[in-house]
Amino acid sequence: METLQGLKRTDYCGMFRPDHIGQKVTVYGWVQRARNLGGLIFIDLRDRTGIVQCTFDEAIDKALFDRAFTVRSEYVLAISGTVRSRGEAAINNKIPTGSIEILADELRILSKAETTPFEIVENSDVNDMLRLKYRYLDLRRPDMQRTIALRHRISKIARDYFDDNGFYEIETPILTKSTPEGARDYLVPSRVHPGKFYALPQSPQQYKQLLMLSGFDRYMQITRCFRDEDLRADRQPEFTQIDLEMSFVEQEDVMAVNEGFLKRLFSEILGVELTLPLPRMPYQEAMDRFGSDKPDLRFGYELQNISHLVKDCGFQVFTGALEAGGSVRAIRVEGGAKFTRKEIDSLGEFVKTYRAKGLAWLKKANGELSSSFAKFLSEETLNAILEFCGVQDGDALFIVADAKDDTVYASLGALRCEIAKRLDVIDPNRYELLWITDFPLLEYDEEENRYAAKHHPFTAPKDEDIEFLESDPARVRAKAYDIVINGSEAGGGSIRIYSPELQSRMFRALGFTEERANEQFGHLIEAFSYGAPPHGGLAFGLDRLVMLLSGASSIRDVIAFPKVQNASELMMASPDVVDDAQLRELCIDIKPVEKV
């Protein structure tokens, strides 16, 4: 193998233009492909900026030509030569460097390459598991390089914007204390303190609040967070937040500064100019209209509550749900009559994954009705439903009834998105942003038979609802807010509790004894006693932001080295076993899990 000795890169491969014609240049990179046209060899050399064509002419330098003949895909090369025009007939308009080439006069083979497990090309359809096993090769692909570069740009814009607005970037610990509530912690055993464990932070929540108590006023951090939970397309066990906190603010203050960040981000990254302020929608309205607290507003198919129309209809599926305290809701799909019975049956199976017992349906085509439930209703009731829902010729109506509103919301909320995908009505170049506000402060956990925090235990209740904290916890709304982009939660935050008395009431509402609250959060409770400013904050999911702005379908495609569904990392074969000596140092004894 040869070295770089004495050879310095003059520019990146993708940066050459007609202005460079006549210049002597040196480029480094990987071979995208090599083509032998008899007396000419063309090598497309690739680096992170793109491709440039390098030409080897046998008539000019046969020895150099013969060396170029040995080059194969993914070899790492250094090439020197002179930039020249390709000529009108040879221009490649598909790449920015397509009007020029480098006539080579020196070639160094820095590294040879075996045949790769898959071709290094744009938008590869290679199996994901293979891509992740050879992630270092997958990351060479131009689309992956652009995405990682975009992630860098978003991070830089965040740092610059928040610096411009008076925020200090302050690091918080990675080894911290395990606390209850939320997802499971990743635990780290301490060698120095046998039998004790650190936890990796699910977020810097307590630290950033303590920084406000420390008087820093405005904090931000691009920080790693860890949650031991089941994965899906937009979840990873380790992820990155753009985290911030502000003192002496109310809800609108926090929302306004973050709207400014989003406006700058969308303008600089996408050339899209957002209109501020962004729309606000209360949580309950979002659930009633869209079945979700992160609604996608790029299409319709809103939920309609038809409970009042069917409460005495005699159809047990509907009346039974209402008698049990639930609801009956529908979505009208314009043009949905084109769905075949097989397609409708598949939609019925789809909603069952959200615990719905089934899907009632109706189609109107050429003036004729076909339905799974119409025969059980009177003509008067059926006509009332059609009129209320605005069913027109060519439409379909889909209905879910259940004793639990949560099931109706979840199933219809997911169904409207699934139908929009199947009918291809979503414009990928359209961006709809909104704030969801007035979340419930608490939600009832039936497994543990107690209330749990909807967000976290430090979220402040709305002032007018504080009186119901003990008497009617389900009624209490939070000073919490999520930013939603095209149906994805891109960030969320809240105004925090800063009164020791109110924080104690919150802990009691969550079922904490005074002893347990002090054991888990005594440091925070004590800190509040020394003068705490009103404060609040927000955290953006950086991975989700990059996913949304790049058009990727999964956050795995915007993280350099992601985990797969079972939280393992295929390239490094992590997690892995450690030797007995390490375990003894940590006072850990591994016992096999007993099969039930």
Side-chain angles (χ1 to χ4, degrees), residues 92-161:
N92 180 357
N93 292 315
K94 294 181 180 179
I95 57 175
T97 61
S99 63
I100 59 91
E101 64 184 5
I102 298 172
L103 178 61
D105 57 32
E106 185 172 0
L107 165 65
R108 296 187 190 180
I109 299 175
L110 304 174
S111 180
K112 295 183 179 181
E114 300 290 337
T115 301
T116 55
F118 49 84
E119 192 178 4
I120 311 300
V121 294
E122 188 103 359
N123 299 316
S124 172
D125 59 356
V126 176
N127 175 276
D128 278 356
M129 296 302 102
L130 188 63
R131 287 177 55 200
L132 292 173
K133 181 178 180 181
Y134 296 96
R135 187 62 162 182
Y136 48 88
L137 296 178
D138 188 48
L139 287 170
R140 290 183 190 176
R141 296 191 299 107
D143 48 327
M144 289 299 299
Q145 297 251 320
R146 286 196 300 272
T147 300
I148 298 302
L150 176 68
R151 185 184 179 104
H152 159 75
R153 287 186 61 205
I154 291 172
S155 297
K156 185 177 186 305
I157 290 169
R159 285 192 165 97
D160 290 347
Y161 173 82

Side-chain angles (χ1 to χ4, degrees), residues 323-398:
E323 289 166 1
S327 64
V328 183
R329 298 174 194 264
I331 57 174
R332 178 177 69 90
V333 178
E334 300 89 336
K338 68 178 70 172
F339 281 124
T340 65
R341 181 60 186 272
K342 183 178 180 180
E343 289 172 327
I344 290 174
D345 288 344
S346 74
L347 293 175
E349 292 303 311
F350 176 82
V351 297
K352 287 179 181 178
T353 64
Y354 293 87
R355 299 187 179 179
K357 296 178 178 63
L359 182 67
W361 59 271
L362 176 151
K363 296 197 301 182
K364 186 176 183 181
N366 301 317
E368 298 292 325
L369 288 178
S370 56
S371 174
S372 65
F373 65 90
K375 63 183 178 181
F376 301 107
L377 305 182
S378 68
E379 184 175 349
E380 180 183 1
T381 300
L382 183 60
N383 287 334
I385 293 172
L386 295 174
E387 182 179 355
F388 182 80
C389 295
V391 175
Q392 304 294 317
D393 199 67
D395 293 349
L397 193 69
F398 296 102

Side-chain angles (χ1 to χ4, degrees), residues 215-276:
F216 285 103
D217 195 77
R218 291 191 170 197
Y219 139 95
M220 74 82 60
Q221 182 183 192
I222 298 179
T223 182
R224 300 292 281 171
C225 302
F226 307 85
R227 293 179 187 174
D228 186 5
E229 60 185 352
D230 296 333
L231 307 188
R232 54 179 186 254
D234 59 349
R235 289 275 177 92
Q236 284 278 300
E238 51 180 317
F239 56 97
T240 306
Q241 286 185 177
I242 303 173
D243 197 50
L244 59 105
E245 196 80 2
M246 307 166 65
S247 290
F248 305 107
V249 291
E250 296 179 322
Q251 179 168 305
E252 284 296 324
D253 300 313
V254 180
M255 294 164 76
V257 78
N258 284 287
E259 286 182 344
F261 166 62
L262 289 169
K263 183 175 179 64
R264 182 183 294 188
L265 190 65
F266 272 72
S267 178
E268 293 190 21
I269 296 295
L270 299 175
V272 172
E273 298 301 326
L274 299 180
T275 300
L276 303 183

Side-chain angles (χ1 to χ4, degrees), residues 562-575:
K563 304 292 191 292
V564 296
Q565 190 73 23
N566 64 1
S568 63
E569 201 251 277
L570 301 183
M571 187 186 68
M572 297 281 286
S574 169

